[in-house]
Amino acid sequence: MSIDLDRSDNDAVAGLPGYREDATLLEVDDLRVEFHTRDGVARAVNGVNLRLAAGQTVAVVGESGSGKSVTAQAIMGILEEPPARVAGGEIRYRGVDLLKLSADQRRRIRANHIAMVFQDALSALNPVWTVGFQLSELFRTHRGMSRKDAKKRSIELLDMVRIPAAAQRVNEYPHQFSGGMRQRVMIAMALALDPKVLIADEPTTALDVTVQAQIMRLLAEIQAERHMGMILITHDLGVVADVADDITVMYAGRAVEQAGVGDTFATPAHPYTKALLRSIPRLDVKGQQLEVIAGLPPTLTDIPPGCAFAPRCTYAKDICRTEQPPLRTVADGRASACHFAKEVMTDV
Ligand SMILES: Nc1ncnc2c1ncn2[C@@H]1O[C@H](COP(=O)(O)OP(=O)(O)OP(=O)(O)O)[C@@H](O)[C@H]1O
Ligand code: SF4
Ligand SMILES: [Mg+2]
């Protein structure tokens, strides 16, 4: 479905400093985000790099607390500052450094260009308004549509996310929808203003397995149809294999491996990725014992020098405890932040 837009919000970006139509859709360079807490400064994101092209899906994976959601919130411009503080780096959308924009300019980019689907639709939707009203408000505020046109568009959107009987359900409240249907409503809201980048932060975790698969299929279809760039944050490596082109593995607030999904699964170039892959069941191996990654991630207020994974790494040598390995190219289209990436890749 295409949406006729009043382009005013969209055109706003073209006049911003650095804008280039042909620039990479989204680039994150050396992003750093810290939280000022009673226990000290928690370095939640410590130099993350990401690249996302139009039509591409990049999966972001990593243990709980590795900085996936904070990275997403920084890209969206929805970090609560304070306690959060963006301590460094750049986030460029079509060449425009978002971190240099005013709050109003960022608000226009949000929803119109970069939108997000959260894990918990119930808390993201307003319980006191009907779904149709919440969708219509987007069209009325951002596109200046009449009430009637906005409602018509809302029904079309609910249809697009395959909510049956959309014309009736548009008048219902969020609590009247099942978990899966509510997540579809949230996807409809995120897509309403035709964003070019969609960030989905564990969009299916709260749902049962069959519904998860349906929602993932829907997201993947819409992403392909609209040629959007999608950042998919997930714990589910099966989903990664199904829908993502590239993968970014995060550990202690850093990207430690980036590559095509096929390469990463076949020959991981970082010991942490290797351990993650070993910790999931494989359908093709019978009687396999799951490996648990021994040890814990570092405390973010006290990240040790050198490689943050060293205390848990079976490949660690002396240099790992003193020198932080930069994320660097280790093969065509593959990057790893490990001093011994080449050995890790060939050690199967
Ligand atoms: N409001 C906050 N105040 C203090 N620290 C925070 C806050 N929000 C996040 N953090 C810190 O940032 C770290 C990274 O959090 P983040 O939510 O990005 O993890 P995640 O990778 O998304 O984990 P999960 O898989 O559990 O969603 C957390 O471990 C926490 O220490
Ligand atoms: S740099 Fe050293 S400690 Fe870190 S992952 Fe590589 S081998 Fe392990
Ligand atoms: Mg998270």
Side-chain angles (χ1 to χ4, degrees):
M1 186 194 76
S2 75
I3 298 176
D4 283 337
L5 301 173
D6 160 344
R7 311 298 304 186
S8 56
D9 274 343
N10 271 342
D11 285 347
V13 74
L16 294 173
Y19 179 83
R20 279 191 8 245
E21 182 81 42
D22 62 345
T24 304
L25 186 62
L26 185 73
E27 292 171 293
V28 177
D29 273 334
D30 200 26
L31 178 68
R32 289 160 196 277
V33 182
E34 52 193 37
F35 287 92
H36 292 253
T37 70
R38 239 178 295 159
D39 300 327
V41 178
R43 299 187 202 287
V45 175
N46 292 299
V48 161
N49 299 296
L50 271 178
R51 293 277 170 286
L52 181 71
Q56 187 189 27
T57 296
V58 174
V60 177
V61 304
E63 274 166 306
S64 187
S66 57
K68 304 180 297 294
S69 295
V70 172
T71 300
Q73 288 159 13
I75 295 171
M76 280 293 284
I78 55 169
L79 281 170
E80 205 189 322
E81 299 176 75
R85 188 176 85 89
V86 177
E90 287 189 3
I91 302 171
R92 292 186 300 277
Y93 172 73
R94 290 269 185 242
V96 177
D97 185 355
L98 302 182
L99 296 175
K100 296 215 167 79
L101 300 183
S102 68
D104 185 53
Q105 287 168 326
R106 288 211 82 176
R107 190 188 51 74
R108 282 163 173 268
I109 294 216
R110 219 166 20 243
N112 282 290
H113 295 269
I114 307 179
M116 189 156 166
V117 176
F118 301 87
Q119 178 181 332
D120 180 5
L122 198 54
S123 62
L125 295 167
N126 191 325
V128 305
W129 305 115
T130 64
V131 156
F133 180 81
Q134 295 182 57
L135 276 166
S136 293
E137 273 304 287
L138 284 171
F139 293 122
R140 285 166 59 74
T141 312
H142 293 268
R143 298 289 180 265
M145 277 189 195
S146 70
R147 205 174 291 266
K148 189 163 158 254
D149 287 348
K151 182 153 183 191
K152 188 163 159 265
R153 281 292 151 79
S154 305
I155 296 169
E156 285 171 5
L157 265 177
L158 294 183
D159 231 13
M160 182 196 70
V161 295
R162 309 216 184 93
I163 292 183
Q168 284 87 57
R169 302 220 69 182
V170 74
N171 298 316
E172 293 181 3
Y173 292 87
H175 74 266
Q176 293 175 281
F177 288 75
S178 67
M181 287 295 152
R182 212 150 41 216
Q183 200 61 340
R184 286 170 192 263
V185 171
M186 209 159 56
I187 293 170
M189 288 198 68
L191 295 174
L193 303 176
D194 209 14
K196 307 294 173 279
V197 175
L198 184 69
I199 304 176
D201 190 354
E202 311 212 20
T204 61
T205 313
L207 307 171
D208 75 50
V209 176
T210 343
V211 181
Q212 284 189 5
Q214 290 164 357
I215 299 278
M216 271 326 306
R217 214 172 304 131
L218 176 72
L219 269 177
E221 273 174 37
I222 294 174
Q223 178 270 332
E225 228 171 79
R226 297 188 168 204
H227 204 60
M228 284 186 302
M230 179 157 82
I231 294 177
L232 176 64
I233 300 172
T234 179
H235 277 115
D236 188 336
L237 292 171
V239 163
V240 174
D242 281 347
V243 305
D245 304 301
D246 283 19
I247 184 168
T248 286
V249 180
M250 286 192 57
Y251 188 77
R254 283 168 63 85
V256 294
E257 175 156 10
Q258 280 175 331
V261 169
D263 284 342
T264 307
F265 279 32
T267 54
H270 193 283
Y272 176 62
T273 314
K274 203 168 229 186
L276 265 188
L277 291 172
R278 282 200 185 129
S279 70
I280 58 156
R282 282 177 47 186
L283 296 174
D284 56 336
V285 181
K286 280 212 176 107
Q288 180 193 230
Q289 295 286 312
L290 290 190
E291 281 185 34
V292 175
I293 309 175
L296 290 172
T299 309
L300 296 177
T301 46
D302 188 21
I303 299 177
C307 174
F309 191 56
R312 305 170 78 183
C313 181
T314 50
Y315 293 84
K317 298 195 174 65
D318 287 349
I319 184 181
C320 303
R321 290 177 197 95
T322 52
E323 280 182 38
Q324 189 179 65
L327 182 71
R328 62 184 158 216
T329 304
V330 291
D332 194 22
R334 307 192 58 177
S336 165
C338 171
H339 290 303
F340 303 102
K342 295 230 160 106
E343 286 170 54
V344 176
M345 275 166 83
T346 48
D347 173 28
V348 271

